[in-house]
Amino acid sequence: FDGTEFKVYNTKNTEQIKANVTRNFFMDRQGKIWMGNGGVGILIYNGNKFDRITEEQGLSLNYPSCFEEDADGRIYIGTRCDGLNIYDRGKFSVIKKEDGLTSNYINTILNDSKNILWIGSNDQDLLFLERGKIKKFFDITRKQYSRIIKLFEDSNGVIWVGTDNGIMKIKNGFSIKDENL
């Protein structure tokens, strides 16, 4: 929207768009907008044009599910069943189940204010990436959660974990109770 009219970008008027389905929008620190493009890769819009990243450029799977950026400018890309991609200076690396993930289906990721990358997936484990190693968060309440749907950090540094079976809050590495929930 330019103040007067809306501009629609689609397969008819934009060469880089290969499907008229877009999901999982994310804006990086440079102001570029990243989005999944209907199972045919990633679109990146820089304000003037679209670029495309696909499996041909090193993405592990053309179905991204979520995006996040760390303090060093690395972009993390969760996929629908092929692990966590790390895009760093134009090159990809991938972390999969054999590297420590408990599921290759990544629903949500969060880089918190301490530059720790939290990973939520279809399994019952909340994971985090710290110093290049995947670690499992130990919930002292020992609640069983199913899919982790969304991760969010509020202005007080509390990480909210949305699941199919409720909400968990984490502060300073410990799950916390809140009677007001």
Side-chain angles (χ1 to χ4, degrees), residues 40-88:
V40 289
I42 296 171
L43 290 171
I44 304 170
Y45 183 68
N46 70 6
N48 297 313
K49 69 179 183 99
F50 287 92
D51 289 314
R52 163 174 291 296
I53 296 176
T54 67
E55 293 171 9
E56 291 176 5
Q57 286 80 37
L59 183 65
S60 72
L61 187 70
N62 281 336
Y63 288 89
S65 55
C66 51
F67 301 92
E68 189 60 270
E69 183 175 17
D70 71 11
D72 297 319
R74 287 182 288 264
I75 303 291
Y76 295 86
I77 305 161
T79 66
R80 298 213 179 269
C81 64
D82 206 31
L84 180 68
N85 289 252
I86 304 169
Y87 189 68
D88 187 15

Side-chain angles (χ1 to χ4, degrees), residues 55-134:
E55 293 171 9
E56 291 176 5
Q57 286 80 37
L59 183 65
S60 72
L61 187 70
N62 281 336
Y63 288 89
S65 55
C66 51
F67 301 92
E68 189 60 270
E69 183 175 17
D70 71 11
D72 297 319
R74 287 182 288 264
I75 303 291
Y76 295 86
I77 305 161
T79 66
R80 298 213 179 269
C81 64
D82 206 31
L84 180 68
N85 289 252
I86 304 169
Y87 189 68
D88 187 15
R89 296 177 190 92
K91 296 187 180 185
F92 281 98
S93 58
V94 183
I95 298 172
K96 296 187 180 188
K97 202 169 180 177
E98 55 266 22
D99 303 311
L101 292 178
T102 53
S103 172
N104 281 329
Y105 196 117
I106 308 299
N107 289 323
T108 183
I109 47 183
L110 167 73
N111 191 58
D112 72 13
S113 56
K114 296 176 184 169
N115 205 32
I116 296 172
L117 188 82
W118 294 85
I119 305 164
S121 65
N122 268 359
D123 62 11
Q124 295 181 355
D125 294 320
L126 177 60
L127 305 172
F128 58 97
L129 180 64
E130 189 174 42
R131 296 184 191 105
K133 302 257 188 209
I134 295 289

